[in-house]
PDB file of all heavy atoms in Angstrom:
ATOM      1  N   LYS A 285      30.321  26.701  -1.667  1.00  0.00           N
ATOM      2  CA  LYS A 285      30.640  28.131  -1.775  1.00  0.00           C
ATOM      3  C   LYS A 285      31.509  28.605  -0.605  1.00  0.00           C
ATOM      4  O   LYS A 285      32.444  29.383  -0.783  1.00  0.00           O
ATOM      5  CB  LYS A 285      29.337  28.945  -1.786  1.00  0.00           C
ATOM      6  CG  LYS A 285      28.396  28.635  -2.937  1.00  0.00           C
ATOM      7  CD  LYS A 285      28.861  29.283  -4.222  1.00  0.00           C
ATOM      8  CE  LYS A 285      27.847  29.065  -5.325  1.00  0.00           C
ATOM      9  NZ  LYS A 285      28.277  29.680  -6.607  1.00  0.00           N
ATOM     10  N   PHE A 286      31.163  28.157   0.596  1.00  0.00           N
ATOM     11  CA  PHE A 286      31.842  28.605   1.815  1.00  0.00           C
ATOM     12  C   PHE A 286      32.254  27.379   2.624  1.00  0.00           C
ATOM     13  O   PHE A 286      31.501  26.916   3.489  1.00  0.00           O
ATOM     14  CB  PHE A 286      30.916  29.505   2.638  1.00  0.00           C
ATOM     15  CG  PHE A 286      30.365  30.675   1.873  1.00  0.00           C
ATOM     16  CD1 PHE A 286      29.033  30.692   1.478  1.00  0.00           C
ATOM     17  CD2 PHE A 286      31.173  31.761   1.539  1.00  0.00           C
ATOM     18  CE1 PHE A 286      28.520  31.761   0.766  1.00  0.00           C
ATOM     19  CE2 PHE A 286      30.665  32.831   0.827  1.00  0.00           C
ATOM     20  CZ  PHE A 286      29.337  32.832   0.434  1.00  0.00           C
ATOM     21  N   PRO A 287      33.449  26.832   2.371  1.00  0.00           N
ATOM     22  CA  PRO A 287      33.878  25.595   3.029  1.00  0.00           C
ATOM     23  C   PRO A 287      33.928  25.686   4.549  1.00  0.00           C
ATOM     24  O   PRO A 287      33.864  24.653   5.221  1.00  0.00           O
ATOM     25  CB  PRO A 287      35.277  25.363   2.440  1.00  0.00           C
ATOM     26  CG  PRO A 287      35.281  26.092   1.135  1.00  0.00           C
ATOM     27  CD  PRO A 287      34.421  27.297   1.349  1.00  0.00           C
ATOM     28  N   ASN A 288      34.039  26.893   5.084  1.00  0.00           N
ATOM     29  CA  ASN A 288      34.142  27.049   6.532  1.00  0.00           C
ATOM     30  C   ASN A 288      32.802  27.380   7.182  1.00  0.00           C
ATOM     31  O   ASN A 288      32.773  27.823   8.338  1.00  0.00           O
ATOM     32  CB  ASN A 288      35.163  28.135   6.877  1.00  0.00           C
ATOM     33  CG  ASN A 288      36.568  27.731   6.495  1.00  0.00           C
ATOM     34  OD1 ASN A 288      36.929  26.564   6.605  1.00  0.00           O
ATOM     35  ND2 ASN A 288      37.359  28.683   6.031  1.00  0.00           N
ATOM     36  N   GLN A 289      31.702  27.176   6.455  1.00  0.00           N
ATOM     37  CA  GLN A 289      30.376  27.331   7.055  1.00  0.00           C
ATOM     38  C   GLN A 289      29.643  25.999   6.958  1.00  0.00           C
ATOM     39  O   GLN A 289      29.255  25.556   5.892  1.00  0.00           O
ATOM     40  CB  GLN A 289      29.549  28.413   6.349  1.00  0.00           C
ATOM     41  CG  GLN A 289      28.141  28.556   6.964  1.00  0.00           C
ATOM     42  CD  GLN A 289      27.298  29.626   6.292  1.00  0.00           C
ATOM     43  OE1 GLN A 289      27.796  30.477   5.562  1.00  0.00           O
ATOM     44  NE2 GLN A 289      25.996  29.598   6.555  1.00  0.00           N
ATOM     45  N   LEU A 290      29.457  25.355   8.107  1.00  0.00           N
ATOM     46  CA  LEU A 290      28.751  24.077   8.154  1.00  0.00           C
ATOM     47  C   LEU A 290      27.517  24.236   9.032  1.00  0.00           C
ATOM     48  O   LEU A 290      27.625  24.383  10.250  1.00  0.00           O
ATOM     49  CB  LEU A 290      29.642  22.979   8.721  1.00  0.00           C
ATOM     50  CG  LEU A 290      28.990  21.589   8.819  1.00  0.00           C
ATOM     51  CD1 LEU A 290      28.619  21.075   7.435  1.00  0.00           C
ATOM     52  CD2 LEU A 290      29.908  20.609   9.530  1.00  0.00           C
ATOM     53  N   PRO A 291      26.323  24.215   8.450  1.00  0.00           N
ATOM     54  CA  PRO A 291      25.099  24.354   9.249  1.00  0.00           C
ATOM     55  C   PRO A 291      24.982  23.263  10.307  1.00  0.00           C
ATOM     56  O   PRO A 291      25.456  22.135  10.124  1.00  0.00           O
ATOM     57  CB  PRO A 291      23.981  24.241   8.205  1.00  0.00           C
ATOM     58  CG  PRO A 291      24.620  24.681   6.926  1.00  0.00           C
ATOM     59  CD  PRO A 291      26.038  24.169   7.003  1.00  0.00           C
ATOM     60  N   MET A 292      24.331  23.611  11.418  1.00  0.00           N
ATOM     61  CA  MET A 292      24.123  22.687  12.529  1.00  0.00           C
ATOM     62  C   MET A 292      22.659  22.278  12.590  1.00  0.00           C
ATOM     63  O   MET A 292      21.771  23.099  12.359  1.00  0.00           O
ATOM     64  CB  MET A 292      24.493  23.348  13.860  1.00  0.00           C
ATOM     65  CG  MET A 292      25.967  23.560  14.098  1.00  0.00           C
ATOM     66  SD  MET A 292      26.239  24.464  15.661  1.00  0.00           S
ATOM     67  CE  MET A 292      25.363  23.423  16.821  1.00  0.00           C
ATOM     68  N   LEU A 293      22.418  21.021  12.927  1.00  0.00           N
ATOM     69  CA  LEU A 293      21.063  20.531  13.165  1.00  0.00           C
ATOM     70  C   LEU A 293      21.006  19.958  14.565  1.00  0.00           C
ATOM     71  O   LEU A 293      21.738  19.030  14.895  1.00  0.00           O
ATOM     72  CB  LEU A 293      20.692  19.465  12.126  1.00  0.00           C
ATOM     73  CG  LEU A 293      19.309  18.819  12.300  1.00  0.00           C
ATOM     74  CD1 LEU A 293      18.201  19.846  12.086  1.00  0.00           C
ATOM     75  CD2 LEU A 293      19.147  17.644  11.328  1.00  0.00           C
ATOM     76  N   LEU A 294      20.142  20.512  15.391  1.00  0.00           N
ATOM     77  CA  LEU A 294      19.946  20.031  16.754  1.00  0.00           C
ATOM     78  C   LEU A 294      18.510  19.539  16.891  1.00  0.00           C
ATOM     79  O   LEU A 294      17.581  20.154  16.368  1.00  0.00           O
ATOM     80  CB  LEU A 294      20.203  21.143  17.769  1.00  0.00           C
ATOM     81  CG  LEU A 294      21.581  21.812  17.751  1.00  0.00           C
ATOM     82  CD1 LEU A 294      21.618  22.954  18.769  1.00  0.00           C
ATOM     83  CD2 LEU A 294      22.665  20.805  18.049  1.00  0.00           C
ATOM     84  N   GLY A 295      18.335  18.440  17.618  1.00  0.00           N
ATOM     85  CA  GLY A 295      16.989  17.932  17.822  1.00  0.00           C
ATOM     86  C   GLY A 295      16.707  16.693  16.995  1.00  0.00           C
ATOM     87  O   GLY A 295      17.624  15.990  16.568  1.00  0.00           O
ATOM     88  N   GLU A 296      15.432  16.431  16.737  1.00  0.00           N
ATOM     89  CA  GLU A 296      14.989  15.213  16.069  1.00  0.00           C
ATOM     90  C   GLU A 296      15.083  15.348  14.562  1.00  0.00           C
ATOM     91  O   GLU A 296      14.195  15.872  13.901  1.00  0.00           O
ATOM     92  CB  GLU A 296      13.537  14.900  16.491  1.00  0.00           C
ATOM     93  CG  GLU A 296      13.024  13.562  16.014  1.00  0.00           C
ATOM     94  CD  GLU A 296      13.926  12.415  16.400  1.00  0.00           C
ATOM     95  OE1 GLU A 296      13.869  11.984  17.564  1.00  0.00           O
ATOM     96  OE2 GLU A 296      14.693  11.962  15.520  1.00  0.00           O
ATOM     97  N   GLY A 297      16.179  14.847  13.999  1.00  0.00           N
ATOM     98  CA  GLY A 297      16.419  14.995  12.574  1.00  0.00           C
ATOM     99  C   GLY A 297      15.505  14.173  11.692  1.00  0.00           C
ATOM    100  O   GLY A 297      15.328  14.474  10.509  1.00  0.00           O
TER     101      GLY A 297
END
Side-chain angles (χ1 to χ4, degrees):
K285 299 282 185 180
F286 305 107
N288 293 324
Q289 179 180 344
L290 180 63
M292 288 176 55
L293 177 65
L294 302 176
E296 188 54 79

